[in-house]
């Protein structure tokens, strides 16, 4: 049974629109969340303005009971906290019933990555392209998979990064911090090939400081430009392009290194993570993969019929 929309909710939504510039989508989501909350309270003989703290807690608990995702629960609680902050500031009620209610813990999603054979298929597809496109795509993908650079770091590499025959790349990352990342032999060869091709396309009268120059505003290849190239390679490799992105290749680099026995601290330094806890998420990928292999291949893991 639906109930009339609470006038205090309407006042709150008007404030969000006028004072905080909330988008129509945000206002719509908040309106639906608060209407659902009001209907829940109606069954308890309460309204949003006179709801008790335990009723708010019961509402959030109910979201979990009906299988609502933790992120949705957290969003609904955030909405309620903002509503009651508004009600308290406007002196519509003397307290905030959400003050002692904590948001549900959000499980950190595991990064997506490609299997080694999928990466091989991508690289083979890039190498199979003829002409400048193939040389460029191969250089970009080999470098990304060999170094785990952020896509913004990759596309904005200066030409000076490969001024000599490169064994390592000096990368300027977040916070202008520099780090050295070793190159694999295939990546090194691909960059040398691209550097030679680049010299045929950049006129000496209009030199570019970028390793991957373009005629766009930035002067170098953009993130979206590389993402489109990667999607093309995915299609050629027979992979779902929606599951392949520059960041997925970065994740693949890290997970494959750790699976091969690399130590966590070295991977942290190559990725440019300030906190090793950020890098530790990749160990969960290795654990999940190991568990999958055991379930699939261990004789004692087979189900008895």
């Amino acid at each position: 049974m639906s109930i009339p929309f609470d006038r205090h909710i309407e006042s709150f939504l008007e404030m969000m629109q006028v004072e905080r510039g909330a988008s129509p989508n945000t206002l719509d989501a908040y309106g639906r969340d608060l209407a659902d909350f009001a209907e829940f309270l109606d069954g308890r003989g309460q309204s949003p303005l006179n709801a008790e703290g335990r009723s708010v807690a019961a509402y959030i608990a109910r979201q979990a009971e009906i299988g609502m995702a933790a992120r949705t629960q957290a969003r609904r609680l955030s909405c309620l906290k903002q509503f009651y902050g508004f009600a308290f500031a406007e002196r519509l009620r003397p307290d905030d019933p959400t003050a002692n209610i904590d948001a549900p813990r959000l499980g950190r999603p595991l990064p997506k990555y490609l299997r080694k054979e999928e990466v091989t298929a991508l690289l083979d597809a890039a190498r199979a392209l003829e002409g400048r496109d193939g040389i460029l795509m191969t250089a970009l993908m080999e470098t990304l998979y060999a170094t785990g650079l952020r896509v913004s770091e990759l596309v904005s590499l200066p030409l000076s990064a490969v001024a000599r025959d490169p064994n390592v790349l000096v990368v300027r990352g977040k916070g202008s911090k520099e780090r050295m990342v070793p190159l694999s032999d295939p990546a090194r060869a691909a960059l040398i090939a691209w550097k030679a091709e680049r010299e045929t396309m950049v006129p000496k009268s209009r030199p570019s400081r970028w390793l991957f120059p373009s005629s766009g505003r930035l002067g170098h290849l953009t993130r979206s430009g590389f993402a489109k190239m990667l999607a093309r390679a995915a299609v050629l490799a027979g992979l779902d392009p929606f599951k392949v992105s520059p960041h997925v290749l970065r994740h693949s680099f890290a997970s494959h290194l750790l699976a091969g026995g690399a130590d966590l601290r070295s991977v942290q330094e190559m990725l440019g993570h300030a906190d090793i806890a950020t890098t530790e998420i990749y160990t969960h990928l290795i654990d999940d993969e190991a568990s999958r292999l055991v379930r699939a291949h261990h004789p004692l893991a087979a189900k008895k019929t």
Side-chain angles (χ1 to χ4, degrees), residues 58-295:
Y59 174 73
I60 298 300
R62 180 174 175 271
Q63 308 307 299
E65 291 171 1
I66 62 176
M68 193 74 70
R71 288 190 180 279
T72 304
Q73 296 174 47
R75 189 202 73 207
R76 289 194 167 184
L77 179 57
S78 174
C79 173
L80 294 181
K81 283 181 176 291
Q82 291 188 68
F83 170 73
Y84 283 114
F86 161 79
F88 180 75
E90 294 294 316
R91 298 183 179 179
L92 297 176
R93 59 177 295 156
D95 62 344
D96 179 355
T98 68
N100 296 319
I101 301 176
D102 295 326
R105 293 182 63 86
L106 299 179
R108 189 172 187 177
L110 293 179
K112 295 179 174 59
Y113 69 105
L114 300 175
R115 299 190 306 275
K116 291 180 182 179
E117 56 268 29
E118 292 175 320
V119 174
T120 299
L122 272 177
L123 295 173
D124 287 344
R127 295 190 198 100
L129 285 174
E130 297 181 354
R132 182 174 294 162
D133 284 354
I135 298 172
L136 173 58
M137 194 180 295
T138 301
L140 287 163
M141 291 172 54
E142 286 280 12
T143 302
L144 182 54
Y145 181 58
T147 62
L149 298 185
R150 299 177 179 92
V151 63
S152 57
E153 297 170 342
L154 174 68
V155 297
S156 63
L157 280 172
L159 180 60
S160 58
V162 291
R164 297 190 179 91
D165 190 357
N167 291 310
V168 298
L169 285 180
V170 179
V171 182
R172 187 179 295 274
K174 288 186 176 179
S176 295
K177 293 182 179 179
E178 287 190 344
R179 67 184 190 278
M180 292 201 315
V181 185
L183 282 171
S184 65
D185 288 339
R188 180 168 160 268
L191 283 174
I192 292 172
W194 167 246
K195 184 182 176 185
E197 179 65 24
R198 179 189 180 281
E199 290 178 358
T200 69
M201 61 175 278
V202 178
K204 292 183 178 179
S205 60
R206 296 175 57 191
S208 171
R209 62 180 291 254
W210 306 110
L211 178 57
F212 303 109
S214 81
S215 58
R217 179 179 58 84
L218 294 176
H220 59 71
L221 179 68
T222 63
R223 296 160 49 126
S224 61
F226 176 47
K228 290 176 182 176
M229 295 170 63
L230 196 55
R232 180 187 177 192
V235 171
L236 293 173
L239 303 175
D240 183 349
F242 293 103
K243 294 182 179 179
V244 179
S245 71
H247 219 58
V248 166
L249 267 186
R250 174 172 158 90
H251 294 325
S252 303
F253 158 83
S255 59
H256 295 171
L257 269 184
L258 289 170
D263 69 276
L264 198 62
R265 184 67 66 181
S266 296
V267 176
Q268 175 198 1
E269 292 174 358
M270 285 186 279
L271 290 172
H273 287 160
D275 188 347
I276 198 169
T278 306
T279 317
E280 285 176 342
I281 192 69
Y282 293 103
T283 62
H284 297 298
L285 292 176
I286 309 307
D287 292 342
D288 279 2
E289 181 66 9
S291 297
R292 184 188 68 79
L293 290 173
V294 168
R295 289 194 301 271

